[in-house]
Amino acid sequence: QGELVQSGGGLVQAGGSLRLSCAASERSLLNVIVGWFRQAPGKEREFVAALHWSGNLDNYADSVKGRFTISRDNAKNTVYLQMNNLKTEDTAVYYCAAGPQVWYERTAGDRYDYWGQGTQVTVSS
């Protein structure tokens, strides 16, 4: 959408790893919750991961728990999603987002004010 710029998507084989980046050059991500969502063809957008603005809390969808890690680099004003042991089911367009200030809103897409343009991740078998 403009304020968040994503990079790092691509094609990987099942079992491989990939890291997505989401940079905000014109706004600070210090005081908002950041998250990742994804949408596969024919499916609704779903929550993937979120990180509290304090950096002390994170949360993951059950489908990615133990395989994905969300992190942030405040100096670079950038959010990352490290994806390990990728499965074909992970194939989707991934979106980074920012906005909520209350932790219980972390999984609600409509509570995020800023979104990246989306990055295609394709996992082959």
Side-chain angles (χ1 to χ4, degrees):
Q1 200 79 274
E3 294 189 5
L4 304 181
V5 180
Q6 299 180 218
S7 62
L11 173 66
V12 297
Q13 292 187 353
S17 298
L18 194 65
R19 189 180 75 162
L20 305 182
S21 298
C22 176
S25 61
E26 299 182 1
R27 76 178 305 276
S28 175
L29 301 178
L30 288 174
N31 299 315
V32 296
I33 295 166
V34 295
W36 289 90
F37 294 78
R38 68 185 182 186
Q39 187 168 23
K43 297 182 179 180
E44 296 182 353
R45 183 179 62 192
E46 65 176 345
F47 168 78
V48 175
L51 183 65
H52 192 261
W53 49 262
S54 70
N56 295 325
L57 295 172
D58 57 13
N59 183 229
Y60 300 90
D62 289 340
S63 60
V64 306
K65 201 168 188 177
R67 300 187 297 118
F68 290 12
T69 302
I70 184 173
S71 63
R72 67 198 305 170
D73 185 333
N74 291 334
K76 296 181 178 180
N77 207 29
T78 300
V79 182
Y80 303 96
L81 184 68
Q82 178 66 46
M83 303 181 292
N84 297 326
N85 192 25
L86 283 161
K87 304 176 180 179
T88 56
E89 303 95 287
D90 297 317
T91 296
V93 177
Y94 284 71
Y95 300 89
C96 64
Q101 294 182 330
V102 182
W103 187 235
Y104 70 80
E105 297 180 336
R106 64 192 181 277
T107 65
D110 59 359
R111 302 305 295 173
Y112 287 78
D113 297 319
Y114 308 100
W115 292 83
Q117 80 277 16
T119 301
Q120 177 68 49
V121 172
T122 302
V123 183
S124 63
S125 60

